[in-house]
């Protein structure tokens, strides 16, 4: 693995992003390595896994690799998209996964934190959900994630404004378990991971599995699911989605026409 550094000690696995040059953006390769790392660490006997970036990063992860977003007219966040698969892999990982965050977190990387079982973030961290900046309709499972974690109004504000949420706001919203100083981030996180690692692994796994099943969101009928898909398709078929990607690549602000 090149874009992820995997390590294991005292029942705690660690997966560290290793692509600062591209701001640890979630490329298909990096996400494949993350999924492989989760599986391997769980097989090696990890009781808990920490996701992290290198100490001192300014950008924890810049989110989905925009250059790998599908061309317009294709769903950018379909069920089989590597990002969606990664999020489910984290949620379904039999052992708790902790996001240890410093710096700024963008788009799909925020949803990745949401998919973790806990988030511990250093002072000065921020979290921004940016699909509206790029012209992406997001998707039902992702939106439900945020509603569950931070409530409907805060989730709407995060998505509609696309502005970075401070770690203090995120802690207040329940998105972050602990806000700690940069100096104590690593010690605090691994102490907490150690507490989980000492508990009965079967019980911890069973409790995580029950949380996963109990929070899968309200059942929706087939017609509602189809209506959601129709609403989303109008957006990823739009000129605005094409403009969102094009403007990013041309390093200029997007000019959305509402069509
Ligand atoms: C590819 C990148 C990226 C990137 N992809 O440095 O949630 S959804 O629905 O939106 C979902 C689909 C999603 O996750 O979409 C991506 C959401 N992410 C963002 O909106 C963040 C986009 N990036 C930025 O706003 C800036 O890069 C930040 C603020 C993160 C850092 O700004 P800074 O000025 O420090 P640059 O912008 O110069 O970026 C450094 C290099 O990383 C690339 C960017 O194109 C540049 O590449 P070059 O050096 O080749 O020009 N880069 C940054 N983000 N998500 N590539």
């Amino acid at each position: 693995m090149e874009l992820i550094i995997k390590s294991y000690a005292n029942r705690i696995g660690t997966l560290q992003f290793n692509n600062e040059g591209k701001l640890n953006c979630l490329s298909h390769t990096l996400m494949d390595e993350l999924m492989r790392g989760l599986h391997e660490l769980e097989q090696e006997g990890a009781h808990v896994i920490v996701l992290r970036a290198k100490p001192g990063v300014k950008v924890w992860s810049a989110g989905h690799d925009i250059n790998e977003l599908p061309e317009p007219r294709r769903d950018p966040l379909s069920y089989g998209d590597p990002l969606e698969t990664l999020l489910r892999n984290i949620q379904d990982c039999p052992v708790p996964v902790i996001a240890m965050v410093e710096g700024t977190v963008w788009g799909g990387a925020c949803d990745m934190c949401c998919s973790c079982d806990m988030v511990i973030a250093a002072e000065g961290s921020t979290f921004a959900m940016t699909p509206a900046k790029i012209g992406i309709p997001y998707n039902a499972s992702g939106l439900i994630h945020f509603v569950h974690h931070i409530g409907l109004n805060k989730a709407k504000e995060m998505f509609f404004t696309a502005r970075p949420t401070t770690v203090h706001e995120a802690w207040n919203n329940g998105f972050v378990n602990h806000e700690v100083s940069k100096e104590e981030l690593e010690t605090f996180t691994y102490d907490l991971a150690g507490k989980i690692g000492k508990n009965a692994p079967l019980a911890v796994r069973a409790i995580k599995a029950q949380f996963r099943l109990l929070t899968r969101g309200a059942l929706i009928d087939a017609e509602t699911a189809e209506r959601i898909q129709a609403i989303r398709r109008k957006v990823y078929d739009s000129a605005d989605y094409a403009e969102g990607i094009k403007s990013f690549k041309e390093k200029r602000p997007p000019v959305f026409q509402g069509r």
Side-chain angles (χ1 to χ4, degrees):
M1 294 203 270
E2 287 157 23
L3 300 186
I4 293 291
I5 300 169
K6 182 181 76 153
S7 57
Y8 176 66
N10 308 321
R11 301 192 187 119
I12 302 172
T14 298
L15 295 172
Q16 179 174 304
F17 308 136
N18 187 35
N19 194 14
E20 283 75 65
K22 279 291 176 195
L23 306 183
N24 296 323
C25 66
L26 301 178
S27 62
H28 293 179
T29 308
L30 186 142
M31 292 193 280
D32 284 347
E33 289 188 19
L34 263 181
M35 287 186 269
R36 193 147 41 100
L38 286 170
H39 179 69
E40 288 172 2
L41 284 170
E42 191 262 324
Q43 291 295 305
E44 285 163 27
H47 288 193
V48 55
I49 295 171
V50 175
L51 290 192
R52 62 170 300 169
K54 270 184 186 160
V57 286
K58 284 197 175 28
V59 179
W60 193 75
S61 171
H64 200 301
D65 186 329
I66 295 175
N67 300 307
E68 292 184 355
L69 283 172
E71 288 311 307
R73 304 205 184 295
R74 278 200 42 229
D75 188 340
L77 292 175
S78 63
Y79 183 82
D81 179 275
L83 174 63
E84 297 308 308
T85 308
L86 170 64
L87 300 183
R88 290 194 300 274
N89 271 247
I90 294 171
Q91 293 158 30
D92 293 335
C93 179
V95 301
V97 181
I98 301 172
M100 185 178 95
V101 173
E102 56 184 304
T104 57
V105 187
W106 303 85
C110 282
D111 207 343
M112 182 165 69
C113 288
C114 232
S115 299
C116 290
D117 298 284
M118 273 163 258
V119 180
I120 298 166
E123 63 199 345
S125 307
T126 62
F127 301 86
M129 271 318 289
T130 49
K133 255 174 73 177
I134 307 174
I136 290 174
Y138 219 63
N139 62 12
S141 57
L143 294 174
I144 279 287
H145 254 165
F146 283 86
V147 172
H148 273 171
H149 275 77
I150 62 177
L152 186 55
N153 280 19
K154 298 280 187 178
K156 285 179 178 177
E157 180 178 344
M158 210 170 170
F159 276 86
F160 293 158
T161 63
R163 72 170 174 84
T165 304
T166 65
V167 61
H168 200 62
E169 281 178 282
W171 177 77
N172 266 323
N173 294 346
F175 184 86
V176 164
N177 293 66
H178 299 279
E179 171 192 358
V180 298
S181 69
K182 286 184 180 164
E183 295 70 35
E184 60 184 7
L185 177 65
E186 190 146 339
T187 313
F188 186 95
T189 302
Y190 282 86
D191 282 353
L192 190 131
K195 287 183 175 59
I196 298 171
K198 287 197 183 82
N199 286 334
L202 292 181
V204 171
R205 284 169 175 246
I207 292 164
K208 173 167 179 176
Q210 290 171 82
F211 274 129
R212 170 78 167 120
L213 292 169
L214 290 167
T215 55
R216 285 182 70 87
L219 288 178
I220 55 174
D221 60 59
E223 185 186 323
T224 305
E226 285 158 3
R227 281 182 59 195
I228 287 174
Q229 203 42 28
I231 290 166
R232 298 184 65 249
R233 181 171 295 120
K234 276 207 189 79
V235 180
Y236 63 73
D237 273 0
S238 71
D240 275 358
Y241 174 44
E243 164 62 8
I245 296 180
K246 190 164 176 286
S247 62
F248 178 80
K249 290 179 177 173
E250 294 171 359
K251 299 187 183 297
R252 61 172 173 80
V255 178
F256 293 128
Q257 311 280 350
R259 57 179 175 78

